[in-house]
Amino acid sequence: MKILVAVKRVVDYNVKVRVKADGSDVDINNVKMSVNPFDENAIEEALRLKEQGKATEVVAVSFGSAANQDVLRHALAMGADRAILVESPATLQQLGVAKLLKAVVEREQPDLVILGKQAIDDDAGQTGQMLAALLDYPQATFISEIKVEGNGISVTREVDGGTESLALTLPAVVTADLRLNEPRFVKLPNLMMARKKPIESISADSFGVDTAPRLKLLGASEPPARKSGIKVGSVQELLSKLRAVEGIAL
Amino acid sequence: MSILLLAEHNGHQLSPAVYKAVTAAQFWNAPVHVLLAGGNSEILQQVASIQGVVRVIHANAAHLAHPLAEDVAKLLVTIAGEYKVIVAAHGSFSRNILPRAAALLDVAMISDVLEIKPDNTYVRSIYAGNIHTTIQSTDALQILTVHSSNFAAAATGENAEITSVEAPAAFGKTRWMSEHHAHSERPALSSAKVVVSGGRSLGSAENFEGVLAPLASKLGAALGATRAAVDAGYAANEMQVGQTGVVVAPELYIAVGISGAIQHTYGMKDSRVIVAINQDPEAPIFQVADYGLVADLFEVVPELVSSIN
Ligand SMILES: Cc1cc2nc3c(=O)[nH]c(=O)nc-3n(C[C@H](O)[C@H](O)[C@H](O)COP(=O)(O)OP(=O)(O)OC[C@H]3O[C@@H](n4cnc5c(N)ncnc54)[C@H](O)[C@@H]3O)c2cc1C
Ligand SMILES: Nc1ncnc2c1ncn2[C@@H]1O[C@H](COP(=O)(O)O)[C@@H](O)[C@H]1O
């Protein structure tokens, strides 16, 4: 079984992102970039399936600028066998990425595609479902467990208020929840070794798909802050404020 | 052209978020039709009674008893031609289905819309709610989910027309196996009027329940948790509040021993009144709290319980 993992390069989750002075967009110049956290779960799960003898090859793919090499190196250092960088000078939106990913799937013919459940920059959570639609593949989103059984998989999905179990026929697309696993740390020697593993670079144009953005960004702003609160000195003071000021019956 | 709203239900009951999505759907001043995939006659009546719904379209088939994204997306595509907008309340149900339908229809999707504006323009948040963006769609068909806590629930008492639509054949390559929902006496987290949430500082599953449950039951509150508390096994997955958990906006949110990471505050900062109890006066949670109590939770939570009538 061959597994393809989609790895997005995003602003590190610890960075507090700011808006550009002219309010046109967010300012991500010179901020720390990392692998999207959910995509680390996706890579980790693919590697575990390989270590269990269920998968034979793990291929990581990223879409964007040449800078995305670093997240692919990270995937290789974690243990992916090879990596593909689909280079696009223009901004890509979810539908565009899904179309390019479909082209990569048609070329690579993986049995399983694992994506993150959402990218923590745009918080869209769409690409996996869009890819599954374009391929007419079964899909399982927000998975916290996966088992390979014969020519299928069984998965547990995190849904509002609980979990759901599904059985899917391969090939299939799944998206990883944080709960799927605890990604391994990358050790320095592995990072050195990863430098020797191949990253193939392909131009997005060569796939001949329309990836023009459908959504226009008109502006960005920081949300209005909550009015500043107060510190209370005791439980009694807290309760009297809640009752008298907020009108909450307690 | 009309607006199509995809309704979520659990087989017994309509999701409370549907009422809010109906309010959001009034924005376009066009007839609102609601698609119900599966569900029984009781749920059908619940939808038909919502003010602002003109027509309920019911798709009933054995394979829709537990609706799968593959089947509902295909169903949406068969009727999409009549509509200029397809909308649903943002949640795990719609997030699973609508992107699939959008790709089949070659349309970009707009997730978790905070505010709808004229000319296919929307405000939505990115970076865990740190930034708001205004975006404009260039597609003819609009497909979006709305942040339901930003919209008031529509009233009931109407009697919309009920029609039915034939569901396409089952996709077949995905099978629903089972579901697990925590059975709790407490109100549902996403719609509770009061939420009490605990963090890693509770220290154990026993403490989590032992310290917080008495407070929750006094207040008729739902219990929530941080990811750290969930990861440590103190609380169940479905109790996680935040960017990657449930988004809540109750009348009163009490954060107990929670540091206030942005991934957590994303899920609760729209609450009407926020109370934070934390022993660290510098904890970021105090920046979003209306009332902060710097104290040891193990001392003040029991005191709070005994002081509430
Ligand atoms: C991609 C991603 C997604 C995430 N999604 C979420 C999410 O959806 N929801 C979420 O919650 N987190 C999420 N997180 C995790 C988040 O970043 C924080 O790590 C987490 O919220 C911290 O939980 P905590 O406040 O319980 O723990 P801590 O940060 O460890 O804070 C514990 C707090 O308890 C206080 N304390 C300790 N003892 C006491 C005492 N006796 N009395 C009073 N106060 C005490 C301390 O002062 C401290 O402020 C996500 C992280 C990532 C990377
Ligand atoms: N530019 C990209 N390169 C690689 N993977 C991506 C890219 N954009 C999205 N993805 C994948 O799609 C998932 C969901 O992203 P999104 O739909 O943008 O929230 C991510 O977790 C990645 O696995």
Side-chain angles (χ1 to χ4, degrees):
Chain A
M1 181 168 93
K2 180 168 167 180
I3 304 179
L4 183 70
V5 182
V7 183
K8 187 173 183 183
R9 183 174 191 262
V10 299
V11 174
D12 188 83
Y13 84 99
N14 277 313
V15 173
K16 182 154 166 44
V17 176
R18 305 264 174 215
V19 170
K20 285 183 182 161
D22 65 0
S24 61
D25 199 349
V26 291
D27 188 357
I28 58 167
N29 277 322
N30 302 318
V31 303
K32 184 177 178 213
M33 305 296 284
S34 296
V35 177
N36 183 42
F38 298 95
D39 304 356
E40 273 197 273
N41 297 98
I43 302 163
E44 177 65 34
E45 201 60 24
L47 296 175
R48 290 187 189 188
L49 289 171
K50 191 179 168 197
E51 284 155 6
Q52 288 162 24
K54 304 281 189 191
T56 47
E57 189 182 21
V58 176
V59 182
V61 61
S62 192
F63 304 86
S65 73
N68 289 32
Q69 294 252 1
D70 59 359
V71 293
L72 290 173
R73 288 276 170 232
H74 183 90
L76 292 170
M78 282 178 75
D81 296 297
R82 58 191 174 88
I84 303 170
L85 172 60
V86 178
E87 275 194 71
S88 161
T91 337
L92 294 170
Q93 294 177 346
Q94 284 69 30
L95 189 59
V97 172
K99 288 180 182 179
L100 290 171
L101 202 40
K102 176 183 186 242
V104 173
V105 167
E106 282 165 351
R107 207 186 78 148
E108 292 286 331
Q109 299 283 321
D111 303 281
L112 181 64
V113 188
I114 315 182
L115 298 86
K117 83 160 179 179
Q118 83 195 58
I120 61 160
D121 50 1
D122 54 55
D123 282 330
Q126 303 170 352
T127 309
Q129 300 87 309
M130 289 181 158
L131 173 67
L134 298 176
L135 291 164
D136 200 28
Y137 280 8
Q139 76 179 49
T141 48
F142 332 135
I143 65 163
S144 56
E145 210 186 326
I146 180 168
K147 285 201 201 87
V148 178
E149 287 161 354
N151 67 337
I153 51 173
S154 66
V155 300
T156 303
R157 304 178 55 225
E158 299 279 321
V159 297
D160 295 343
T163 58
E164 180 182 76
S165 299
L166 303 176
L168 281 67
T169 309
L170 293 174
V173 175
V174 300
T175 73
D177 193 274
L178 293 172
R179 220 86 62 199
L180 185 57
N181 53 47
E182 184 85 44
R184 65 195 65 188
F185 285 105
V186 171
K187 298 190 200 82
L188 196 61
N190 294 6
L191 209 55
M192 305 301 281
M193 242 149 57
R195 295 220 181 119
K196 298 200 190 86
K197 292 190 188 174
I199 296 182
E200 181 189 359
S201 184
I202 311 174
S203 138
D205 293 341
S206 70
F207 290 114
V209 299
D210 171 21
T211 58
R214 304 292 185 84
L215 305 173
K216 273 196 289 189
L217 179 64
L218 302 184
S221 63
E222 286 178 23
R226 274 183 85 93
K227 67 166 176 41
S228 55
I230 57 163
K231 293 250 171 72
V232 290
S234 67
V235 166
Q236 296 315 319
E237 191 190 342
L238 172 63
L239 286 173
S240 69
K241 294 280 188 213
L242 291 176
R243 288 172 181 139
V245 182
E246 305 295 346
I248 299 174
L250 291 165
Chain B
M1 279 175 107
S2 310
I3 312 299
L4 182 64
L5 190 151
L6 175 66
E8 176 183 1
H9 64 88
N10 64 4
H12 320 285
Q13 222 190 341
L14 191 63
S15 157
V18 173
Y19 298 83
K20 300 181 174 187
V22 168
T23 299
Q26 304 304 316
F27 177 85
W28 292 274
N29 285 315
V32 174
H33 298 179
V34 176
L35 174 65
L36 188 70
N40 56 25
S41 58
E42 203 179 314
I43 300 171
L44 203 51
Q45 290 310 324
Q46 285 172 355
V47 182
S49 77
I50 304 175
Q51 277 184 25
V53 175
V54 170
R55 181 187 298 168
V56 190
I57 304 168
H58 192 204
N60 214 357
H63 66 270
L64 293 178
H66 299 285
L68 295 169
E70 292 84 340
D71 293 318
V72 182
K74 226 193 279 176
L75 173 62
L76 278 167
V77 170
T78 61
I79 60 172
E82 277 183 57
Y83 298 96
K84 63 175 180 185
V85 177
I86 300 178
V87 59
H90 193 70
S92 58
F93 173 79
S94 60
R95 290 164 65 192
N96 190 33
I97 297 168
L98 285 193
R100 187 167 180 120
L104 294 175
L105 293 160
D106 196 30
V107 167
M109 180 184 157
I110 305 134
S111 292
D112 208 12
V113 167
L114 300 170
E115 190 189 338
I116 306 170
K117 296 188 154 194
D119 302 323
N120 299 339
T121 301
Y122 308 91
V123 178
R124 69 178 295 270
S125 75
I126 57 174
Y127 292 100
N130 259 325
I131 307 284
H132 285 183
T133 56
T134 304
I135 51 173
Q136 185 174 40
S137 163
T138 57
D139 286 312
L141 174 64
Q142 307 288 295
I143 300 185
L144 61 142
T145 57
V146 292
H147 193 77
S148 46
S149 63
N150 278 21
F151 301 89
T156 56
E158 288 297 318
N159 210 345
E161 169 197 14
I162 296 178
T163 62
S164 64
V165 62
E166 198 172 330
F171 178 70
K173 288 188 242 173
T174 307
R175 271 180 308 137
W176 186 91
M177 306 301 283
S178 64
E179 66 189 346
H180 172 79
H181 290 281
H183 287 289
S184 165
E185 305 291 297
R186 301 191 188 101
L189 183 56
S190 57
S191 54
K193 292 258 183 298
V194 182
V195 174
V196 173
S197 286
R200 194 202 314 261
S201 53
L202 269 302
S204 69
E206 294 69 39
N207 283 349
F208 197 92
E209 190 67 24
V211 174
L212 299 182
L215 182 58
S217 55
K218 268 257 166 113
L219 295 167
L223 270 186
T226 63
R227 178 176 168 213
V230 171
D231 282 352
Y234 306 163
N237 290 349
E238 57 266 23
M239 289 162 67
Q240 181 175 315
V241 171
Q243 180 191 19
T244 50
V246 183
V247 175
V248 301
E251 283 289 297
L252 176 61
Y253 187 92
I254 306 184
V256 181
I258 291 176
S259 60
I262 54 164
Q263 292 87 5
H264 183 77
T265 57
Y266 175 79
M268 45 68 84
K269 65 179 167 22
D270 294 330
S271 306
R272 185 169 79 82
V273 178
I274 297 175
V275 171
I277 299 171
N278 194 306
Q279 65 186 14
D280 174 8
E282 304 298 325
I285 191 71
F286 290 125
Q287 291 162 20
V288 297
D290 301 291
Y291 301 100
L293 183 56
V294 181
D296 181 354
L297 73 93
F298 294 103
E299 282 168 26
V300 296
V301 174
E303 189 187 338
L304 196 51
V305 174
S306 58
S307 307
I308 293 171
N309 300 325

